[in-house]
Amino acid sequence: NSFVTRTNTCGELRSAHVGQKVTLYGWVQYQRQGLFLVLRDFQGLTQIIIPQDEAHSHVKEVLSNAPVESVVRVTGIVSPRPPGQENPKMPTGDVEVKAETAEILNSCKKLPFEIKDFIKKSEALRMQYRYLDLRSSQLQSNLRLRSRMVMRMREYLCNLHGFVDVETPTLFKRTPGGAKEFLVPSREAGKFYSLPQSPQQFKQLLMVGGLDRYFQVARCYRDEGSRPDRQPEFTQIDIEMSFVDQAGIQRLIEGLLQHSWPEERGSIVTPFPSMTYKEALAEYGTDKPDTRFGMKIVDISDVLRGSDIHFVQNALSYPHGSIRAICIPQGVRYLKNKDLESLKESAKSQFNQEIMEIIRRPDGSLKSLLTKFLDEKKQSELIQALNVQGDDVVLLAAGEHEQVCSALGTLRLLSANLLEAAGLALRDPTAFHFLWVVDFPLFLPKAENPTELESAHHPFTAPHPADVNLLYSDPTKVRSQHYDLVLNGNEVGGGSIRIHSAEQQRFVLEKVLKEDSEVLSHLLEALEFGAPPHGGIALGLDRLISLIVDAPSIRDVIAFPKSFRGRDLMGNAPDYVTPEELEPYHIQVSWPLEEKEAKKN
């Protein structure tokens, strides 16, 4: 209550305050029949008793007629609630304030929706009136937890470990590779700035500049169009260090998260487990495994290798052919036929992958189109390999290793959702399973042209020390010094040890990625002036906080988010500008024909 004219907040009054005269400010949560009202501020609720005597008729008139969500000031005496009228659900439930004076500071007009967490409101309406939505206790709680965590992170990095907080430019130039960047016109004809998708180049240049340890709560920008749970502008905890290796960065991040972790969410155990990219793909079908539950992908190629099943033999004849399966616990009991059909359809539509099902009946026998091709020994081996119990359902896929694993990884998550929707507790909503995924490939074939390569992470990532020679002979086989941090199946951070040799960086850009290195001439030149070995990481703050508070969307942990189409529904941005405003930037808008007609009309 420092610097303000209230004596207390609406959430702090207790029995110890009985008899004190207090001044409270807040919003009218609700009012009942001119007898009492509940006043709310950021910290909580206090019950205000409206006086009924003639001497305080003005106070009664003010408070009885104050519309819900009006801002009022109340001065009165803290009193104990009458016996039997205490409210144990409210921290202030043992007391009430008997109003002596009151003033409406600002009356509220009719609301577009009620300010209550349990009232269902469309997300579009919430975002249009975001300043009202921010009054909800859930959003208040999310933003305050976010603020506390960031403060603790600053404390850990700057006060305990000597990091320097540096702001890097928002107006820069295009970076080759990676996500699409927003362009900002300049007054030089034909020349544009780019909004950086991360401070990547700047943080490396700070290491060349000898800062040793850098960090920033960085605003980043990506022009990715409409993606449901992405934001065009987002926040990273951005970190870079000199003279560090992969293990050093991992220990730093584990310590940072432990130090800043909210007490009310329990404690997290370090060090976090680690898994290679190959292991993650083979066992979970994804590079961001949710390790809160089992149902791992199992290789059953050897079990079925000698069978007479045509599609099995066909798959195993390929160089990277494999037969794999997942076992859905109690699938017979919890999944309907339409659920199994929808799982098969997902594999077909997303991965062009056929799925075969095997059911183990309660008596131990198997029900499947495959059983007639398998003798009892093979069936027994299959049951053992997958640890199939009665009423379990097995989903089996055959084909190219990566495609099979990706399809089964997706089905693993979809079937977990179906099981939970049907009432089987599979994933503990209060558990936080962190995981490091390491040894990613340095390059991947481009989706649109598989003969060309692109960086799996970004072009500044260093090759694995054991694979440096392969960089020049067979770059597709090179592992990288890139590491991702995964939490409950979501990527919450990613980083790498960087290339600090100008010669190696130029080779990667020009010879492997076929990029124009001239765009990065400033960075390449900097690497020639005694650049130290360095590495770093960025944590996605929005995603991390949304997982900690179990928010349905990252928009619920951002004060003023954009819609999934990238629009600000409150301020109606982006918006049109006049031709006169565009003139200094040497830009003219070329309108699509239908918009020209609409503007005419």
Side-chain angles (χ1 to χ4, degrees), residues 175-176 200-201 204 455 457-462 496-500 505 508-509 520 523:
T175 306
Q200 183 59 45
Q201 293 181 54
Q204 290 193 238
S455 297
H457 185 43
H458 58 52
F460 314 113
T461 301
S496 66
I497 301 302
R498 324 298 185 190
I499 296 171
H500 65 279
Q505 185 66 80
V508 165
L509 289 166
L520 292 164
L523 180 68

Side-chain angles (χ1 to χ4, degrees), residues 259 404 441:
H259 186 83
V404 163

Side-chain angles (χ1 to χ4, degrees), residues 69 108-115 121-136 139 559-561 568-572:
E69 290 303 309
C108 179
K109 68 175 189 177
K110 189 172 179 353
L111 292 160
F113 54 79
E114 286 189 70
I115 316 291
K121 323 169 255 287
S122 78
E123 189 158 43
L125 196 63
R126 287 177 58 201
M127 292 177 76
Q128 185 183 346
Y129 294 96
R130 189 61 167 184
Y131 43 84
L132 293 179
D133 200 31
L134 285 168
R135 293 182 190 174
S136 72
L139 272 182
F560 297 101
D568 178 339
L569 301 179
M570 182 181 65
N572 199 27

Side-chain angles (χ1 to χ4, degrees), residues 56 335 389 576:
H56 293 93
L335 301 184
Q389 308 296 314
Y576 296 108

Side-chain angles (χ1 to χ4, degrees), residues 380-433:
S380 173
E381 284 176 20
L382 192 64
I383 288 168
Q384 201 172 346
L386 290 158
N387 191 23
V388 192
Q389 308 296 314
D391 281 342
D392 286 358
V393 174
V394 171
L395 301 181
L396 180 147
E400 192 275 324
H401 170 73
E402 211 157 296
Q403 179 182 302
V404 163
C405 290
S406 298
L408 288 174
T410 298
L411 297 190
R412 175 179 178 266
L413 294 174
L414 290 174
S415 34
N417 293 342
L418 289 168
L419 290 173
E420 289 183 334
L424 181 70
L426 202 62
R427 292 170 288 200
D428 180 355
T430 64
F432 295 98
H433 284 222

